[in-house]
Amino acid sequence: MPIMKELFLLGVGRAALREFYEQCGRARAIQDSLVMRLMRKNEGTQYGKDHDFKHIHSIQDFKKTIPITTYEDIKPYVDRAFHGMPAQLTIDKPIFFAMTSGTTGDPKYIPVTSESDR
């Protein structure tokens, strides 16, 4: 490999690694920000309405409002989305439904959106 290309890749690699380590130090803040962004984006969904997303303004609100959830809890929303009802779990339309292998019971369907597929 030519030396200039090697030096360029080495510099890009270092910058990427430095950014990765900086983000690791801010993981909690980044994750909290993502949760709040998803709350705002999906407050108009059926799940968001049923769980009062529009009144969740902090991670503490989220913890108090949203229960620990199993697949069985969200299955009615998944089923409705699977049958074409819009805005059940996410405002983004599912592009397909991934199916789990069902090793612990019946297979489960997971809606995949263009955003979640990135």
Side-chain angles (χ1 to χ4, degrees), residues 53-68:
F53 280 13
K54 70 180 176 180
H55 291 109
I56 297 174
H57 301 291
S58 68
I59 294 303
Q60 291 73 26
D61 292 345
F62 176 84
K63 290 176 180 178
K64 286 188 281 187
T65 306
I66 306 299
I68 294 175

Side-chain angles (χ1 to χ4, degrees), residues 81-100:
F82 187 83
H83 289 98
M85 289 185 72
Q88 292 301 301
L89 286 169
T90 177
I91 207 71
D92 297 325
K93 183 179 179 181
I95 54 176
F96 69 92
F97 288 80
M99 186 173 71
T100 66

